[in-house]
Amino acid sequence: MADRISDAEHAVMEVLWDDAPLTAQDVAERVDPGRGWSANTVKTLLGRLLAKNAISHEADGRRYLYRPLVARDDYVSGESRRLINRLFGGRLTPLVAHLAERDELTAQDIAEIEALLKDLKQ
Amino acid sequence: MADRISDAEHAVMEVLWDDAPLTAQDVAERVDPGRGWSANTVKTLLGRLLAKNAISHEADGRRYLYRPLVARDDYVSGESRRLINRLFGGRLTPLVAHLAERDELTAQDIAEIEALLKDLKQ
DNA sequence: TCGCACTGTTTACGGCCGTAGTCAATAGCG
DNA sequence: CGCTATTGACTACGGCCGTAAACAGTGCGA
């Protein structure tokens, strides 16, 4: 079922995860302006997301209201897993180690994650 | 310059990161058998990677020897950054928190990362 | 020396993606 | 009641991707 969501489609999903249901026009207005999309482009993407069963729509007079079917958390988990499996043998530690080695972690990041993990252990 | 490396191309890169330089035949033999690729497919992918400047080749008599131009670490960093930026506001902590919330971290993961972070702080 | 086997190059082709124009229906305005 | 503005559906099109067959050059064995 749930086909893969493309990059452009993901931008539309973010809008609907933030607030739903919305009309196509609402989505077009709220989608990242950096993309510079025409309203038609957004409508096409909504159509493709419908076909992929990533969103649903219900009639509201002459227009439709769109809402997400896949939860953001599920999408995020899927994408994260995919990356971690593909590049780090499925384990999180090597990812953290990699970023650390490349100095991509700030002292604040480290402190935050430590606190988080401590919490996890109770 | 460095164009985006596709998924299938990445499988070829992994072979060359593991050992280089290699002939096209070597690559075809070592690439993940799960893909079930014909030798021709591998040759096409090598050609595309050349066009993208992700690998180089040097003549070796009748054939070429291929070797990576982009370092695995650079590729891995780029992909990781892309995901973290796209889904977690550019910060690693929310990614860890997300996986933790979804019970995707084992006790071992947690211990490993804690040890890693402790080390980082001296 | 001749043909074959091997290697790289070119071409193919359906599918998804990004981007958007065109078409058809229709509801509300004048 | 007829026209226009809105809205969704259909069509388009070039590009990348996955997958691979067809083709062409050439060194080696017979």
Side-chain angles (χ1 to χ4, degrees):
Chain A
M1 329 279 132
D3 253 325
R4 196 125 162 61
I5 293 173
S6 81
D7 198 69
E9 287 157 8
H10 170 233
V12 169
M13 292 302 291
E14 285 293 347
V15 173
L16 289 173
W17 281 323
D18 185 56
D19 188 14
L22 294 177
T23 68
Q25 193 186 10
D26 286 337
V27 175
E29 277 163 14
R30 297 185 194 194
V31 81
D32 172 21
R35 300 261 183 179
W37 282 335
S38 86
N40 278 334
T41 298
V42 174
K43 283 197 259 176
T44 299
L45 293 172
L46 285 170
R48 290 183 182 168
L49 286 168
L50 279 172
K52 291 182 180 180
N53 281 310
I55 64 177
S56 67
H57 63 349
E58 68 221 44
D60 171 52
R62 47 188 275 79
R63 45 251 206 69
Y64 283 124
L65 294 179
Y66 298 87
R67 67 177 77 236
L69 278 183
V70 300
R72 184 172 200 277
D73 267 9
D74 289 337
Y75 174 76
V76 166
S77 273
E79 293 294 300
S80 304
R81 265 288 137 226
R82 186 184 318 278
L83 180 95
I84 291 173
N85 289 340
R86 199 163 60 92
L87 300 181
F88 298 102
R91 296 186 314 123
L92 178 58
T93 310
L95 166 57
V96 178
H98 177 87
L99 293 176
E101 258 167 45
R102 310 255 311 184
D103 286 325
E104 299 199 29
L105 294 188
T106 65
Q108 197 197 348
D109 285 330
I110 296 173
E112 280 175 2
I113 297 173
E114 272 187 326
L116 177 67
L117 294 180
K118 184 191 258 177
D119 253 31
L120 276 183
K121 298 197 307 186
Q122 235 54 293
Chain B
M1 345 269 143
D3 252 325
R4 194 123 165 61
I5 292 173
S6 82
D7 199 69
E9 288 156 8
H10 170 234
V12 168
M13 290 303 290
E14 286 292 348
V15 174
L16 289 172
W17 280 324
D18 185 56
D19 188 13
L22 293 177
T23 67
Q25 194 185 11
D26 286 337
V27 174
E29 278 164 12
R30 297 186 194 193
V31 82
D32 172 21
R35 302 262 181 177
W37 282 334
S38 86
N40 278 331
T41 298
V42 173
K43 285 197 261 174
T44 299
L45 293 172
L46 285 170
R48 288 183 183 168
L49 285 168
L50 279 172
K52 292 182 180 181
N53 281 311
I55 63 177
S56 67
H57 63 350
E58 68 220 43
D60 171 53
R62 288 272 13 82
R63 49 267 211 46
Y64 283 124
L65 294 179
Y66 299 87
R67 66 177 77 236
L69 277 182
V70 301
R72 184 172 199 276
D73 267 9
D74 289 338
Y75 173 76
V76 166
S77 273
E79 293 294 300
S80 303
R81 265 288 137 226
R82 186 184 319 278
L83 180 96
I84 291 173
N85 289 340
R86 200 162 60 92
L87 299 181
F88 298 102
R91 295 186 316 124
L92 179 58
T93 310
L95 165 57
V96 178
H98 177 87
L99 293 176
E101 257 167 45
R102 312 257 308 185
D103 285 325
E104 299 200 28
L105 295 189
T106 66
Q108 197 196 348
D109 285 329
I110 296 173
E112 279 175 1
I113 296 173
E114 271 185 329
L116 177 65
L117 294 180
K118 185 188 259 177
D119 254 29
L120 275 183
K121 296 196 308 184
Q122 235 61 280

